[in-house]
Amino acid sequence: MQHINYSIDTDGIAFITWDVANSSVNIMNEATFGEFSIAVDMATADDSVKGIVINSAKRDFISGGDLKWFLDYDKSKEDCFEMLMKTHHALRQLELSSKPVVAAINGLALGGGLEIALACNYRIMTDHPANRIGLVECSVGLLPGAGGTQRFLRMLGPQKAIEYITQAKKLTADQALKDQLVNQICKPEDDINALAKAWILQNPEVRQPWDDKRFVVPGTPNGIGQLSGYTEFYSVSNAMAYKTTHGNMPHIKNVLSALYHGSSTGIDNALEVEARYFVDTLFTKETKNIIRASFIFIGDAAKGKAKPKGFEHAKFKKIGVLGAGMMGAGIAYESAKAGLDVILKDVSLEGAERGKGYAATIEQQKIEKGRSTQEKATVILDHIIPSESVGDLKDCDLIIEAVFENEDLKNRVTKETEAVIRPEVVYASNTSTIPITSLAKASSKPDKFIGLHFFSPVDRMPLVEVIVGKKTSDETLAAAIDYVIKIRKVPIIVNDGRGFFTSRVFGKFVNEGITMLTEGIPPAVIENVAKKIGMPVGPLAISDEVNLKLMLDIMSEDPTLTDFEKELEKIISTIVHTHKRPGKKEGKGFYDYPKGAKKHLWKEWSTIYSTVEDYDEEEIGRRLLFAMVIDAYKCLDSGVLKEAKDADIGSILGLGFPIHTGGVMSYIDYIGAQKFKDYAAVLAKKYGERFQLPESLLQRIEKAGTNRMFYKN
């Protein structure tokens, strides 16, 4: 066998060892699990075998299912169901063999890896800070398909099973032991295989608890799901799930259904229930989109796959961050977490100290939540050195400028800093709107000048736009990507242009929301529809966060505004200057922000813009999404973006675009290219040329026909 090693020791203990060929991790797919099933057959049929240890020859136990295999799965639903039932049969064979089976869990046991362990009679887990177990399938749009829903349900009860599975929780060894998902933990230096063998020899007779006829699912009355109180619990769970997902995530609904229906029957019927819901989930377009975007595209980007070839890995020890406001402080904090020394420079030492204080506040919050310790926080904070002197930057390996969004100020800071740093040092600007080529004119080395556009708050937002100016060298680009990967962010490469990609496209979402308000559509409807279609926040609320005054300043410096945008600029100016509502910072924007109370929409909007009663919620949602999608395509068409997948990554991580659609470019295929074209034509006729599709997109749609436009699956 290629992927599974099988051996029997002198005491009659069979070792089934996962060691997937040509892979750094153990993954489950048709080939690897097929070999595992053969090994199970051999061990259970051999009378000389007293017990079985399932372990790993790699750093981790089993990292889960092969998601690329699932994405490319091209067989029928019937074939998929049959495959799952074979999987269940193999794991049930372990459970019913009467031979004790132990999972020796080192490293990670996630998804299908944990499901194999759950079918064992006993689980031992190595206690290391990096080690985790969890059913994480929901994080990629799937649900557990190898018995995880039903075994979790029978071990944890419905409440924890729902929480752990839908939230894709990863548990430490201590947490897993507390929940009795593992039976024993050991130190990293202990011989986990010897411990597993010892348990087998001491426990020759075993049976899974759910194979006892008297077994009752925890938290259920007599184990029957239809009795009073239990059905109501699932009804509430379904309602809460819908409130969160608005029905856009079929995998969440199917998890709840599998748990509910599986709770009122025996384990074998319950596993069949799970298999049917898994098949139903796998064949949805939402699941395919989530796997493609979240696992493959974002995963590849996070590994630096976009880095230009032929350049050595750039090493950084000390970086300089210019400007200790929220963005600069956040960049300094993330860099310090990655082990880099950071000179955090501001115009005054007091300002720089405040920036370090921002990092200290984040660490204190983590300590209070039990997610860090004072010792770890001290190590991170010691990496941040506040400064008011440009001379302190002389030994830095990278400079990141994060001063106020003013071109003259940025140019002045560039010249001042370049006077003290080494010629080979890369200089990056965190600008969100000003073209890098324009800013690079102030530099004596434009080939070393690049944009690194972080998102606020930096400690929670994973995306970084790496902006390439006209004279930025590939060597500089490669070094910038190495830095982004070093601090565990996700880079996408964006060519220069005003607003780059995310700021430009997100502006279309905001603009459309404000425009609809002026048309008389109730603001609560606009905000609620935005959330219903899958956006994390409405366009009016995010406008308040960004600040309307700042939006005006940016628009006033943009020579490329369309006629529609110029009219919108006047509207925003009226809101800011006439109605005195610039945004959240001032306590008055589209919302009111009373001190000590919850924000609420300003009640006077209906007196300013006459409310209409006749509106179409579907059209409102489409306008918000189409505005972003059409402009994102223009970015791709004009060369601001090189690949469609960068648009999808950037829109999901930077804009909060609904992940179930796969991102802005996938969205066209999600609703159907021809349908997209027809609906855009309706919107263009009603609302103007901003919804008119570029000729190249019309040609692509025509050429694609009924096929997908951007990706095979």
Side-chain angles (χ1 to χ4, degrees):
M1 292 187 285
Q2 275 189 303
H3 309 294
I4 303 294
N5 301 325
Y6 181 77
S7 63
I8 304 173
D9 73 3
T10 55
D11 292 312
I13 306 300
F15 287 84
I16 300 176
T17 303
W18 279 74
D19 190 9
V20 174
N22 304 315
S23 175
S24 60
V25 295
N26 291 321
I27 53 176
M28 289 173 59
N29 54 34
E30 199 166 27
T32 60
F33 194 84
E35 287 191 12
F36 174 73
S37 298
I38 293 171
V40 169
D41 286 340
M42 293 166 62
T44 54
D46 189 339
D47 292 337
S48 70
V49 171
K50 298 176 182 177
I52 304 166
V53 176
I54 300 174
N55 61 6
S56 166
K58 298 185 186 295
R59 178 192 62 198
D60 296 321
F61 184 65
I62 305 169
S63 298
D66 184 347
L67 291 175
K68 289 186 178 180
W69 178 64
F70 279 126
L71 182 63
D72 294 333
Y73 192 83
D74 58 359
K75 297 180 182 178
S76 68
K77 287 186 176 183
E78 291 76 15
D79 287 334
C80 185
F81 177 74
E82 184 179 340
M83 173 197 70
L84 290 171
M85 292 310 296
K86 287 180 179 178
T87 301
H88 289 317
H89 174 76
L91 295 180
R92 286 295 284 153
Q93 192 176 348
L94 273 180
E95 293 185 318
L96 296 171
S97 71
S98 78
K99 297 179 180 182
V101 185
V102 179
I105 303 171
N106 58 305
L108 301 175
L110 303 176
L114 178 56
E115 290 178 285
I116 288 175
L118 294 177
C120 299
N121 303 110
Y122 198 76
R123 288 163 293 281
I124 305 174
M125 182 175 177
T126 302
D127 187 10
H128 184 278
N131 291 1
R132 295 289 188 276
I133 67 167
L135 297 178
V136 296
E137 288 89 345
C138 278
S139 65
V140 290
L142 279 170
L143 57 87
T149 62
Q150 304 310 313
R151 292 188 176 91
F152 251 36
L153 175 66
R154 286 157 175 75
M155 296 173 79
L156 299 171
Q159 187 169 348
K160 273 193 175 180
I162 290 172
E163 177 189 349
Y164 285 13
I165 294 173
T166 59
Q167 296 180 19
K169 284 201 169 184
K170 298 178 183 178
L171 305 177
T172 64
D174 283 337
Q175 291 169 323
L177 183 65
K178 183 179 179 181
D179 283 319
Q180 296 183 313
L181 292 172
V182 299
N183 309 94
Q184 181 181 347
I185 58 178
C186 65
K187 297 177 182 178
E189 60 268 24
D190 291 341
D191 186 341
I192 193 170
N193 293 311
L195 294 172
K197 177 177 174 178
W199 187 87
I200 289 172
L201 295 175
Q202 293 167 12
N203 296 271
E205 296 184 7
V206 293
R207 181 170 62 171
Q208 293 286 44
W210 40 83
D211 284 317
D212 188 325
K213 291 182 179 179
R214 295 169 295 179
F215 177 79
V216 174
V217 173
T220 66
N222 301 320
I224 302 174
Q226 282 77 10
L227 292 186
S228 177
Y230 193 65
T231 298
E232 286 82 354
F233 169 76
Y234 273 100
S235 295
V236 171
S237 297
N238 269 306
M240 292 176 64
Y242 186 83
K243 183 179 179 181
T244 304
T245 67
H246 299 285
N248 294 321
M249 303 290 194
H251 65 287
I252 299 296
K253 175 179 177 292
N254 286 348
V255 164
L256 295 175
S257 296
L259 289 169
Y260 176 72
H261 293 294
S263 66
S264 59
T265 187
I267 184 67
D268 289 302
N269 288 336
L271 293 172
E272 182 176 337
V273 168
E274 179 191 87
R276 294 194 184 281
Y277 279 110
F278 183 93
V279 172
D280 182 65
T281 303
L282 179 62
F283 282 81
T284 63
K285 57 186 178 182
E286 288 85 358
T287 289
K288 297 284 190 182
N289 285 339
I290 295 170
I291 291 175
R292 185 193 327 106
S294 68
F295 176 72
I296 296 177
F297 289 171
I298 293 175
D300 285 350
K303 296 172 186 173
K305 293 287 183 72
K307 177 181 173 179
K309 307 299 182 191
F311 296 97
E312 293 292 324
H313 182 76
K315 296 180 180 179
F316 303 97
K317 293 182 179 179
K318 181 190 288 188
I319 73 164
V321 177
L322 313 181
M326 186 173 178
M327 289 299 291
I331 295 167
Y333 172 62
E334 290 297 288
S335 301
K337 278 202 312 181
L340 300 175
D341 289 330
V342 183
I343 304 296
L344 181 57
K345 181 191 175 299
D346 205 80
V347 292
S348 69
L349 187 58
E350 182 184 10
E353 292 282 5
R354 277 198 302 271
K356 182 173 181 176
Y358 175 84
T361 299
I362 296 174
E363 280 299 301
Q364 184 58 40
Q365 291 170 348
K366 288 169 65 176
I367 292 169
E368 291 171 359
K369 293 176 181 177
R371 291 166 46 206
S372 188
T373 64
Q374 188 59 58
E375 291 76 16
K376 291 179 181 177
T378 299
V379 170
I380 291 171
L381 294 173
D382 283 349
H383 280 295
I384 302 175
I385 304 108
S387 173
E388 61 181 349
S389 172
V390 69
D392 290 339
L393 303 169
K394 65 181 185 303
D395 295 326
C396 290
D397 306 310
L398 169 70
I399 299 294
I400 303 175
E401 169 269 301
V403 302
F404 186 70
E405 195 76 349
N406 177 279
E407 189 164 354
D408 289 339
L409 173 61
K410 288 179 181 291
N411 291 344
R412 190 162 62 250
V413 168
T414 298
K415 293 176 180 177
E416 177 185 69
T417 306
E418 284 192 353
V420 300
I421 61 175
R422 301 189 308 276
E424 67 272 16
V425 171
V426 171
Y427 189 101
S429 175
N430 179 54
T431 179
S432 59
T433 58
I434 305 171
I436 291 300
T437 302
S438 178
L439 291 175
K441 291 177 182 177
S443 172
S444 61
K445 44 176 188 175
D447 61 312
K448 293 290 182 182
F449 202 99
I450 198 165
L452 287 178
H453 178 210
F454 289 82
F455 294 77
S456 183
V458 178
D459 60 292
R460 294 204 297 269
M461 295 294 283
L463 184 71
V464 177
E465 284 185 307
V466 182
I467 317 297
V468 179
K470 286 184 178 179
K471 295 186 178 181
T472 304
S473 70
D474 281 351
E475 182 181 17
T476 297
L477 173 59
I481 289 178
D482 283 337
Y483 164 73
V484 174
I485 302 305
K486 171 74 175 175
I487 63 170
R488 297 182 180 178
K489 298 294 184 184
V490 181
I492 60 169
I493 299 173
V494 181
N495 287 321
D496 206 7
R498 187 165 290 276
F500 312 128
F501 169 65
T502 51
S503 296
R504 168 180 161 173
V505 172
F506 200 57
K508 308 304 178 185
F509 172 70
V510 167
N511 291 353
E512 208 60 35
I514 296 173
T515 300
M516 287 190 280
L517 176 70
T518 67
E519 294 169 0
I521 297 174
V525 172
I526 298 168
E527 298 290 86
N528 288 332
V529 169
K531 293 178 183 177
K532 187 175 180 179
I533 59 178
M535 293 297 292
V537 66
L540 305 182
I542 198 64
S543 296
D544 281 357
E545 295 281 349
V546 173
N547 193 275
L548 291 169
K549 177 66 169 60
L550 176 60
M551 288 167 56
L552 267 183
D553 291 342
I554 293 171
M555 293 175 88
S556 67
E557 294 182 4
D558 187 352
T560 66
L561 293 183
T562 64
D563 290 341
F564 164 71
E565 290 167 335
K566 289 175 183 176
E567 287 300 313
L568 188 64
E569 183 181 13
K570 295 175 184 176
I571 292 168
I572 296 174
S573 180
T574 299
I575 293 171
V576 171
H577 299 298
T578 303
H579 302 301
K580 310 296 183 185
R581 306 198 68 82
K584 181 180 179 180
K585 182 180 178 181
E586 293 79 5
K588 294 180 179 181
F590 291 109
Y591 288 77
D592 275 327
Y593 300 86
K595 289 184 178 179
K598 191 176 180 181
K599 74 177 184 181
H600 56 82
L601 285 158
W602 189 38
K603 298 177 181 179
E604 301 302 316
W605 289 118
S606 61
T607 66
I608 298 171
Y609 303 111
S610 299
T611 302
V612 297
E613 301 295 332
D614 184 22
Y615 52 80
D616 181 342
E617 285 197 9
E618 181 185 24
E619 183 180 90
I620 292 169
R622 290 284 173 88
R623 284 175 67 179
L624 291 171
L625 295 179
F626 273 50
M628 288 188 280
V629 171
I630 293 169
D631 200 57
Y633 177 79
K634 290 177 181 177
C635 289
L636 183 66
D637 195 40
S638 65
V640 171
L641 294 175
K642 292 182 178 179
E643 298 185 65
K645 66 180 180 180
D646 289 331
D648 286 340
I649 295 168
S651 63
I652 290 169
L653 296 183
L655 310 180
F657 199 86
I659 193 169
H660 68 275
T661 70
V664 279
M665 291 296 93
S666 291
Y667 179 81
I668 299 175
D669 286 323
Y670 175 69
I671 67 170
Q674 190 61 48
K675 186 176 180 181
F676 180 84
K677 171 188 170 184
D678 294 342
Y679 206 101
V682 172
L683 293 179
K685 186 174 181 180
K686 290 179 71 173
Y687 300 107
E689 64 178 358
R690 65 185 182 278
F691 290 108
Q692 188 171 328
L693 303 188
E695 185 60 33
S696 64
L697 180 53
L698 292 172
Q699 291 173 2
R700 278 194 183 210
I701 292 172
E702 186 70 26
K703 184 177 179 180
T706 58
N707 297 321
R708 295 180 61 88
M709 284 182 53
F710 294 104
Y711 315 114
K712 177 184 175 184
N713 294 315

